Amino acid sequence: MTEGAESTQSTGGPESAENGAGTAERPFPDLLSDCVHCGFCLPTCPTYVLWGEEMDSPRGRIHLMGQAEEEGAFTDASVGHFDNCLGCLACVTACPSGVAYDALIETTRARVEEEHERPRAERLIRSAIFSLFPHRRRLELMRGPLRAYQASGLAGPLRSSGVLERVSPSVAAMERMAPPIKGKVPALPERVPAVGRRRAVVGMLTGCVQGAFFPQVNTATARVLASEGCEVVVPKGQGCCGALSSHSGRAEEAARFAERTVRTFEKEGVDAVVVNSAGCGGTMKHYGRVLREAGRPDDLVRRAEALSAKVVDLSEYLVALGPRAERRPLPVKAAYHDACHLSHGQGVTAQPRELLRAIPELEVADLPNPEICCGSAGVYNLLNPEPASDLGARKADDVASTKASLLIAGNPGCSLQIAATMRERGEEIAVAHTVQVLDASIRGLPPSALV
Amino acid sequence: MRDRPIRDRSDESPDDRSTTDPAGTDRGQADRADRADRLSALVPRLKGICGDDGVITDRARRRTYESDGLTYHAEVPGVVVLPTTAEQVAEVLGLCSAEGVPFVPRGAGTGLSAGALPRTDGVLVTTSRMRRVVEVDPDNECAVVQPGVANLDITRAAAPYGYYYAPDPSSQQVCSVGGNIAENSGGAHCLKYGFTVNHVLGLQIATPQGELVRLGGKAPEAPGYDLIGAFIGSEGTLGIATEATVRLVRTPQKVTTLLAAFTGMDAGGEAVSSVVAEGVLPAAVEMMDALSIAAAEAAVACDYPEGAGAVLIVELDGPAADVDADAAMVRRLCERAGAFEIREASGAAERARIWKGRKSAFAAVGRISPAYIVQDGVVPRTALGEVLGDIARLSAESGIRVANVFHAGDGNLHPLVLFDDAEPGAGERAAEVSGAILDLCIRHGGSITGEHGVGVDKACSMPRMFTPEDLETMDLFRRAFDPAGVANPEKLLPTPRLCGEVPGVRKDVHPLVAQGRAEQF
């Protein structure tokens, strides 16, 4: 260096300010170069919180991506660190330079799946997960046996025997996380009329896991929307939105799901597509990227972008619409958990709180460390059970510190993860989706409906 | 990211010694092979100390540690260790000293002077797993923390007791206390509260020879030499802090933040002078020019008043009555200096909004320029106006844009020199302007660094400020702690290898040594 050595930072260029839609057009190396290595992402990264290692931080992973670019190949070590990423996107919120880590990790994961040979056992568990979860019908078929198993009293002895843990930690995690199954899935009609004067016509995504395991959340969603004056369209033939696949680098599979969802909803002519699951909404708002990544033609990408523009999280939509139905008192001490794909993925933090604040006598506490992921992260807790359960334990500590009797979250995975962790510790807590709380308040149900 | 080739001096770290530097001479190759052998032999012993999980040898993983916050400098560390206890740190350092292997300390890797630049022939000692707040002691107004604890986490731990930790570098949510100690970090509020050195009561350090030593403690004052003062700001050349007892400050009864917008920098500067002249001591006085405001707007939409050629952020804290009186005074003085809009924030959320633009300014400059140099210099406050004028002239003459963000209260400038790294020669021209700014600071009786430290980045600029005798005395001091010369070598003080033949650097023995009054180790 010449005399007067100074600090130099190279950045991605003036256009690096653009995030979201603009990033999709920019080449991968360009997006990588936006990172100035400042480290502001470290403290919000769940794996850095756990292990304190550079290569398991967003900054370290971006460095590893750069190495892979240089060397044209992934090392086993770097794939391990990419797999360790929960994709919670807390780093995107924390980054002052506007690095599109969401786009970076998604592209990287897709490349890993394409170019990197995984060990056989890993391949098996991944294909097992992806032949089950994104498929609502198959999940619904699981309900019967799962209910029978839960009723049989086998769970206790099986868990303490540790057999499942030895067979596969992923299978053991699946067993632990399985939601309690009660009754049959109530079918939603294809059209739910608005209560009173109609204010809007909205489409509703029923989803795969939400639909099969949390049908009551979908029912509450339809009811609340209708009470607020929306005619709710629930198109038949919709399936998984593709989020789970997209978050795991299964680009082609994600694009197939996305394409189907686009085709299903665009013909309904709705004002908005309302989504009640954070992970789904986050992906659906970036359908253009999902389809472009998989090499779909431009016209389809544009149609996907048009649909994405209509996608809103339920809480976002309800706040923008403004309340009409009367809220009745719900004297419960609750805590609100920010689902990552709602807060970091979609920037939705104020709206759910605003909706909950409007319910008389409902006390809502914030959790300490709200920006840190609970470890659920889609299918992460099945693929990486150990860090997932460490993060679950941290979150459970934070939940317990609020002394709340009800935990409210906007994503089914988070509720499952936190409820299961609390149950294991003997600190059982009731969980509910934001919309279930609203629904109870609007219908004037007693607190016992939730806790 | 990095825009320079990475230095990998030998490229022969423990697990990949097959690569050798093709340009190297036979002698050089022999040296490198020798160093590599020593390092390889160290690995099992390091694993014995830190556990398998605490030693990183894989090249891809090691490379993620090649830079700190200043990516201009990069070098792949030979081995990375992640100790979890003070004893482990001490054992690692002792081993390095005994074997003549250099070590480099690293906290969160956010430094801006490449003070944590690793060495391929050395061990990188990372404290990122030592992040426990050991004790919060509100009765004695202090806290005991491990070195890897993030600066802001001390405040988080102390807040329930009504206390906070005062030094607040802009990277406070990330940067580690250990790193703050090594660099004597300041922050926006050091105008009123001082630097890290004013807030450390006690230290446990691992010396380069591997001893654990306690300096000071919870008592506010200790007799004898101020070794804590000497250690703080030593940039890892005297050892590694393994535990710190830091002062906690009572959360002020009231905090009021004013944002005053001016059409130009001169008016803003005048306001600063008059505030100081009136005897008001704000907690912080920060200034940003039009260019850095534009960057911050692009990055975080901070919504500063439109048309501002300069904004001044003045924060006042203390007893409510004092704060209110001072705020009224500052308001009047700003208006008299020509402020066209003044906003006032008392709530935490509004305050955060005002600070958001300032705190994100460095990284935000990435939005308006492909590349930039963050400079860090100090001038006496009275010279501020003149120096800013000179910087503007330099910028106009060279055609290189310079954005100014600075701690106006204590004359600590952070000019951001903007350039396009894709344009041939632009980097060099920017480096020249940046160097000339440092010369300006020195000419006005200032310093080459206010708070980012010297590291490797400014080591060669030290002779601009210090005489050869000064530097040699510093080196003697350093050797008293580190006779083997293994503690973060080639940082802080210039060396011929790093800087070439530095003009004016003495090569014969120091006069004190020649007179038998000091001993050279």
Side-chain angles (χ1 to χ4, degrees):
Chain A
M1 264 175 73
T2 50
E3 55 166 7
E6 292 86 16
S7 345
T8 304
Q9 301 290 312
S10 179
T11 69
E15 62 286 289
S16 58
E18 284 168 34
N19 214 327
T23 55
E25 313 286 0
R26 296 174 55 208
F28 187 79
D30 207 17
L31 293 179
L32 267 184
S33 72
D34 284 349
C35 175
V36 299
H37 214 73
C38 68
F40 277 41
C41 52
L42 302 184
T44 61
C45 174
T47 54
Y48 189 79
V49 167
L50 286 181
W51 304 319
E53 293 176 348
E54 188 69 21
M55 54 280 183
D56 274 313
S57 75
R59 181 173 69 173
R61 291 191 183 104
I62 288 173
H63 198 287
L64 289 168
M65 291 173 197
Q67 291 184 30
E69 278 285 294
E70 264 172 50
E71 286 155 22
F74 293 103
T75 60
D76 288 347
S78 65
V79 169
H81 297 301
F82 298 139
D83 286 351
N84 283 340
C85 169
L86 292 103
C88 70
L89 310 184
C91 52
V92 175
T93 304
C95 180
S97 304
V99 174
Y101 183 84
D102 47 350
L104 288 173
I105 190 73
E106 238 169 75
T107 303
T108 300
R109 287 195 157 136
R111 286 189 186 171
V112 166
E113 291 316 304
E114 224 168 78
E115 300 164 18
H116 188 80
E117 180 83 1
R118 289 185 182 280
R120 206 178 115 81
E122 232 177 86
R123 280 206 311 273
L124 275 176
I125 196 84
R126 275 172 190 262
S127 67
I129 286 174
F130 285 99
S131 57
L132 175 62
F133 277 90
H135 304 279
R136 173 145 172 207
R137 296 267 173 283
R138 297 177 200 167
L139 285 172
E140 280 174 2
L141 286 176
M142 300 270 300
R143 286 179 61 95
L146 198 53
R147 189 170 58 224
Y149 165 75
Q150 286 170 349
S152 71
L154 275 174
L158 187 61
R159 272 179 213 177
S160 48
S161 74
V163 168
L164 285 183
E165 205 67 51
R166 280 197 296 279
V167 173
S168 156
S170 293
V171 173
M174 234 181 275
E175 191 274 337
R176 266 200 319 276
M177 293 301 150
I181 305 291
K182 292 181 209 106
K184 290 190 84 137
V185 181
L188 272 174
E190 270 184 71
R191 230 164 239 277
V192 180
V195 175
R197 186 179 55 82
R198 192 177 82 178
R199 297 160 85 193
V201 181
V202 301
M204 180 182 148
L205 180 87
T206 49
C208 48
V209 179
Q210 189 86 289
F213 288 139
F214 300 93
Q216 61 281 17
V217 174
N218 282 340
T219 318
T221 304
R223 237 181 347 237
V224 168
L225 283 167
S227 318
E228 296 289 31
C230 300
E231 180 174 331
V232 186
V233 181
V234 190
K236 242 193 163 139
Q238 58 168 309
C240 172
C241 69
L244 284 180
S245 308
S246 159
H247 295 154
S248 304
R250 303 168 74 91
E252 178 49 41
E253 188 177 273
R256 274 203 309 274
F257 283 126
E259 207 179 318
R260 178 166 139 190
T261 312
V262 171
R263 289 183 200 283
T264 305
F265 277 95
E266 67 182 0
K267 60 173 184 251
E268 299 292 344
V270 290
D271 304 323
V273 176
V274 177
V275 181
N276 60 17
S277 154
C280 307
T283 295
M284 290 177 73
K285 286 180 176 177
H286 292 289
Y287 263 171
R289 191 166 81 208
V290 171
L291 293 185
R292 201 179 289 113
E293 189 82 52
R296 293 294 195 272
D298 283 352
D299 67 314
L300 195 60
V301 171
R302 271 194 299 277
R303 279 164 59 193
E305 282 168 349
L307 185 80
S308 288
K310 289 186 175 177
V311 172
V312 281
D313 180 72
L314 172 71
S315 64
E316 244 179 316
Y317 188 73
L318 289 177
V319 167
L321 189 67
R324 192 169 79 182
E326 189 197 339
R327 267 68 167 164
R328 298 191 178 85
L330 201 56
V332 175
K333 192 168 162 51
Y336 178 75
H337 162 75
D338 284 290
C340 295
H341 281 214
L342 204 49
S343 61
H344 304 305
Q346 303 179 52
V348 175
T349 53
Q351 296 91 330
R353 290 178 169 84
E354 189 176 331
L355 291 173
L356 295 170
R357 247 198 324 268
I359 299 176
E361 292 178 43
L362 177 72
E363 216 183 293
V364 185
D366 279 328
L367 301 183
N369 309 304
E371 73 283 8
I372 305 288
C373 177
C374 67
S376 165
V379 294
Y380 185 90
N381 52 2
L382 305 181
L383 291 169
N384 306 57
E386 211 178 306
S389 101
D390 291 348
L391 290 166
R394 280 171 177 265
K395 192 55 80 181
D397 284 342
D398 290 342
V399 172
S401 78
T402 63
K403 305 218 173 3
S405 53
L406 174 69
L407 180 76
I408 306 171
N411 195 51
C414 308
S415 308
L416 276 184
Q417 162 91 354
I418 297 170
T421 313
M422 299 287 281
R423 198 163 53 232
E424 272 168 20
R425 295 158 47 132
E427 298 175 284
E428 209 138 338
I429 189 166
V431 291
H433 189 284
T434 311
V435 77
Q436 290 177 287
V437 182
L438 273 179
D439 182 44
S441 165
I442 291 172
R443 292 163 69 201
L445 299 181
S448 59
L450 294 171
V451 293
Chain B
M1 288 205 14
R2 178 168 39 79
D3 62 339
R4 302 271 147 166
I6 332 153
R7 267 201 284 167
D8 195 349
R9 268 190 216 139
S10 51
D11 218 328
E12 82 306 14
S13 315
D15 65 338
D16 53 17
R17 276 186 299 139
S18 52
T19 343
T20 44
D21 180 3
T25 60
D26 287 350
R27 167 88 193 272
Q29 276 178 7
D31 275 359
R32 277 192 291 277
D34 181 41
R35 282 202 299 269
D37 279 343
R38 255 185 290 170
L39 206 53
S40 301
L42 226 54
V43 169
R45 297 169 72 186
L46 291 170
K47 286 186 174 170
I49 299 168
C50 301
D52 288 357
D53 173 49
V55 180
I56 301 169
T57 54
D58 168 85
R59 181 175 156 85
R61 293 187 173 110
R62 279 188 284 121
R63 275 197 63 190
T64 62
Y65 285 92
E66 69 190 17
S67 300
D68 57 12
L70 179 57
T71 54
Y72 187 91
H73 302 277
E75 182 165 335
V76 185
V79 187
V80 180
V81 297
L82 297 155
T84 52
T85 65
E87 288 70 25
Q88 289 179 1
V89 176
E91 268 191 74
V92 168
L93 303 200
L95 189 59
C96 287
S97 268
E99 300 298 323
V101 172
F103 69 83
V104 175
R106 171 177 164 123
T110 57
L112 292 172
S113 58
L117 179 73
R119 292 175 64 106
T120 304
D121 61 352
V123 179
L124 186 71
V125 185
T126 304
T127 59
S128 57
R129 285 187 179 165
M130 300 176 69
R131 43 187 174 172
R132 204 157 50 82
V133 174
V134 180
E135 185 193 355
V136 177
D137 180 355
D139 293 338
N140 287 307
E141 303 193 311
C142 66
V144 181
V145 297
Q146 290 191 319
V149 169
N151 173 299
L152 191 61
D153 282 341
I154 307 181
T155 292
R156 290 201 179 113
Y161 304 95
Y163 284 89
Y164 76 110
Y165 179 62
D168 62 338
S170 289
S171 57
Q172 67 183 133
Q173 68 270 49
V174 199
C175 62
S176 70
V177 178
N180 291 174
I181 289 169
E183 303 294 328
N184 189 19
S185 306
H189 294 81
C190 57
L191 171 63
K192 181 170 178 181
Y193 293 97
F195 290 74
T196 300
V197 72
N198 305 105
H199 295 270
V200 175
L201 296 168
L203 283 177
Q204 181 192 50
I205 62 167
T207 69
Q209 289 171 294
E211 285 171 277
L212 279 179
V213 178
R214 284 202 178 271
L215 308 173
K218 286 186 179 179
E221 185 54 64
Y225 296 115
D226 181 10
L227 291 177
I228 294 178
F231 189 87
I232 294 172
S234 63
E235 304 197 6
T237 61
L238 306 183
I240 296 182
T242 48
E243 191 183 276
T245 304
V246 299
R247 263 178 66 199
L248 297 178
V249 179
R250 202 176 269 281
T251 310
Q253 189 187 7
K254 182 163 187 182
V255 181
T256 292
T257 306
L258 296 162
L259 176 90
F262 300 87
T263 48
M265 294 289 276
D266 288 349
E270 198 186 309
V272 175
S273 301
S274 58
V275 166
V276 174
E278 280 296 333
V280 176
L281 178 59
V285 180
E286 302 283 307
M287 206 153 127
M288 291 167 73
D289 70 359
L291 209 48
S292 47
I293 297 169
E297 290 289 356
V300 297
C302 50
D303 195 27
Y304 286 168
E306 209 163 309
V311 295
L312 195 62
I313 299 173
V314 181
E315 188 154 286
L316 302 151
D317 65 6
D322 294 359
V323 169
D324 291 343
D326 284 352
M329 168 74 82
V330 170
R331 235 171 207 290
R332 258 198 316 280
L333 296 171
C334 284
E335 274 161 11
R336 199 180 302 156
F340 68 84
E341 187 176 335
I342 299 177
R343 296 179 189 170
E344 188 172 322
S346 292
E350 288 170 66
R351 232 178 24 242
R353 244 196 318 280
I354 288 187
W355 276 107
K356 199 169 160 190
R358 166 62 188 93
K359 294 241 173 188
S360 68
F362 285 7
V365 165
R367 311 276 184 151
I368 58 162
S369 174
Y372 60 94
I373 298 171
V374 180
Q375 190 47 282
D376 169 42
V378 187
V379 294
R381 197 168 41 226
T382 47
L384 211 51
E386 206 179 326
V387 172
L388 285 174
D390 288 348
I391 292 176
R393 235 182 332 275
L394 262 175
S395 168
E397 281 165 19
S398 61
I400 299 267
R401 292 188 300 164
V402 179
N404 282 294
V405 180
F406 53 96
H407 310 303
D410 46 13
N412 187 180
L413 302 170
H414 289 307
L416 300 154
V417 184
L418 315 184
F419 65 100
D420 183 351
D421 51 350
E423 189 190 318
E428 286 70 25
R429 287 210 312 282
E432 250 169 64
V433 169
S434 184
I437 293 175
L438 280 193
D439 284 335
L440 275 175
C441 293
I442 297 170
R443 203 178 317 134
H444 284 88
S447 148
I448 57 168
T449 169
E451 52 189 9
H452 294 173
V454 176
V456 91
D457 197 50
K458 287 182 173 173
C460 301
S461 303
M462 287 289 271
R464 297 197 206 177
M465 252 190 103
F466 296 103
T467 66
E469 288 79 10
D470 293 339
L471 292 171
E472 221 160 316
T473 307
M474 290 187 210
D475 191 48
L476 278 174
F477 184 80
R478 170 186 195 153
R479 293 274 166 169
F481 279 76
D482 177 27
V486 291
N488 213 7
E490 302 191 324
K491 310 283 166 61
L492 188 60
L493 299 178
T495 66
R497 203 192 74 86
L498 193 66
C499 313
E501 292 299 313
V502 181
V505 167
R506 172 196 299 279
K507 281 184 261 352
D508 52 353
V509 287
H510 190 276
L512 289 177
V513 176
Q515 291 159 27
R517 289 162 60 199
E519 194 178 347
Q520 178 102 51
F521 293 96

